[in-house]
Amino acid sequence: MNIGLDEIDQQARQGAASGRGARPPTILLVDDSAENLKVVATLLETEGYDIRIARDGRMALERAARIMPDLILMDALMPLIDGFETCRRLKADPRLHQIPVIFLTVLNSPGDLRKAFDIGAVDYIIKPIQEPELLARVRTHLTVHRFQQDLERKVEQRTQELMVANRKLQQEMARRCRAEEHLRHIQRMEALGQLTGRISHDFNNILSVISAANDLLVKRLRHAGLCLDETEVIGNAVDRAARLIGQLRAFSRRETLHPEMINLNDIIRGMEDMLRIAGSEGIVLRISLDPDLRPVRADTAKIEQIIMNLVVNAVQAMPDGGNLTLETHTATVGRDRAATLGVEAGDYVELVVADTGIGMDEAVRRRIFEPYFTTKDPETGSGLGLSTVYGILRQSGGGVRAESEPGKGATFRVYLPVCAVAPPSA
Ligand SMILES: Nc1ncnc2c1ncn2[C@@H]1O[C@H](COP(=O)(O)OP(=O)(O)O)[C@@H](O)[C@H]1O
Ligand SMILES: [Mg+2]
């Protein structure tokens, strides 16, 4: 707000006097006497103002709304609607109430003056008009009015700027909130990974001892021509425990992977029969494979396991049937999505496994990749399917995310980094 009164006054004068550059101020004269109108109009026109006239209150209101003058000079005594009433109506109209009104009148009682100012006039000139007085007051009120308008425009502009800045700030805060939330989630999964990694490692060692001892026992018994059912029970339990440990190792990224250059489409085609059987119960399977899919470096058996785990969940989420869709694409993962996945931004092969099942709410969705998190009863769910998916993908340089709403199905998106080198042609 650096513009001072002098500057605006100068602008007003320049506009008024020269008619060049800035538009000359427009003044609406309201008077029922043609003679009065002529005298005042001539005087003001000589000063360079743009003069418009109205012969009565009704016409004044109508013209003011149309031309939006910078100032109104109003006679108080007029037939039909007098000047006071006209002024009152102007001030009641939100579009017009800011136009300054100066009364030009023969009425000179203190009551009339008070009435004029009470209804919102800015000034009161008593006839007969003194030329210097009229010109000085007109110029002063035009200057003040311009200054006010300028101020309002600037306030409005600044308000807009602040609103935009505020919106940006809120978006940035929301983005940061989301990023922090993802970071916390990734850190939590990292901590869980370290814990399960440690536990699975220790138990694996103990299990190796039990397994080796059991094998030895079986051998010795066989030597002695004996056989005990209990050794088989131990053997089975060891196998079950080993599978469980394998899943925990997968989550904690301690699996031994055998990565090779593969095309995800080939893997899905190879599993198609199995997928159709898995989804036979009233489930319509749709497979859409991108023919230009880029290769990835991954462990085929583990990728098959990932697909099976996702498909089994999808089937379990559709007890009354539905649609199961598998799609592949090559996708560019931008900065934001990469941050939520905990991967580098870049090109990825995307596998989408979508169902139209029961879906899940946000509280469940946040925890589905944690080991032992399940909403199913112990016979159906172990809570280790998605943690295995998560661990294998993270170990392979990729990631996974789920989108879902209760009753609206679930979509799992698996990302594996595109392999830079093309496979040698056969
Ligand atoms: N397609 C799906 N639709 C709805 N919920 C799902 C889906 N897939 C996984 N979930 C939720 O994630 C949880 C964890 O899945 P998972 O790790 O495979 O364990 P489990 O299937 O043994 O419960 C499930 O219990 C279920 O609540
Ligand atoms: Mg499961």
Side-chain angles (χ1 to χ4, degrees), residues 308-310 312-314 316 374 376 380-386:
M308 259 343 267
N309 288 2
L310 293 176
V312 167
N313 279 346
Q316 286 177 340
T374 182
K376 299 169 189 170
T380 338
S382 66
L384 289 172
L386 289 180

Side-chain angles (χ1 to χ4, degrees), residues 253-268:
R253 301 190 229 162
R254 292 185 186 212
E255 274 276 76
T256 313
L257 297 183
H258 303 286
E260 51 182 339
M261 183 99 72
I262 52 170
N263 189 310
L264 229 54
N265 289 350
D266 297 338
I267 296 187
I268 295 170

Side-chain angles (χ1 to χ4, degrees), residues 172-317:
E172 179 59 22
M173 272 160 62
R175 203 183 66 77
R176 280 196 184 197
C177 248
R178 278 198 305 275
E180 274 168 20
E181 167 88 33
H182 291 309
L183 191 67
R184 267 200 301 277
H185 183 250
I186 285 171
Q187 283 170 343
R188 183 176 153 78
M189 297 297 271
E190 214 60 42
L192 273 171
Q194 280 180 16
L195 183 70
T196 47
R198 192 63 205 266
I199 293 173
S200 61
H201 176 77
D202 290 350
F203 272 83
N204 204 30
N205 287 344
I206 298 167
L207 205 60
S208 305
V209 176
I210 298 172
S211 177
N214 195 39
D215 289 350
L216 206 65
L217 191 62
V218 172
K219 250 186 225 162
R220 288 199 175 162
L221 285 169
R222 215 176 275 149
H223 249 341
L226 290 171
C227 167
L228 282 179
D229 287 348
E230 283 77 2
T231 55
E232 203 181 324
V233 174
I234 295 172
N236 289 341
V238 165
D239 287 348
R240 278 211 311 279
R243 271 199 302 278
L244 201 64
I245 285 173
Q247 285 172 304
L248 292 179
R249 282 168 67 88
F251 173 69
S252 58
R253 301 190 229 162
R254 292 185 186 212
E255 274 276 76
T256 313
L257 297 183
H258 303 286
E260 51 182 339
M261 183 99 72
I262 52 170
N263 189 310
L264 229 54
N265 289 350
D266 297 338
I267 296 187
I268 295 170
R269 281 194 206 101
M271 295 175 75
E272 209 169 323
D273 289 344
M274 201 168 31
L275 293 174
R276 288 200 189 280
I277 296 166
S280 57
E281 290 287 306
I283 289 169
V284 181
L285 177 68
R286 190 180 71 86
I287 297 179
S288 161
L289 305 177
D290 177 355
D292 301 319
L293 197 69
R294 309 266 298 275
V296 293
R297 258 186 82 73
D299 183 323
T300 305
K302 300 298 175 201
I303 298 298
E304 285 174 349
Q305 192 185 342
I306 286 174
I307 296 173
M308 259 343 267
N309 288 2
L310 293 176
V311 166
V312 167
N313 279 346
V315 170
Q316 286 177 340

Side-chain angles (χ1 to χ4, degrees), residues 8-9 12 16 25-27 49 69-71 100 102 136-149:
I8 293 177
D9 186 30
T26 306
I27 301 175
Y49 295 115
D70 298 296
L71 181 68
I102 301 178
R137 293 193 185 207
V138 161
R139 203 168 64 225
T140 303
H141 288 294
L142 281 171
T143 304
V144 171
H145 182 54
R146 280 213 174 184
F147 183 65
Q148 254 174 357
Q149 280 185 318

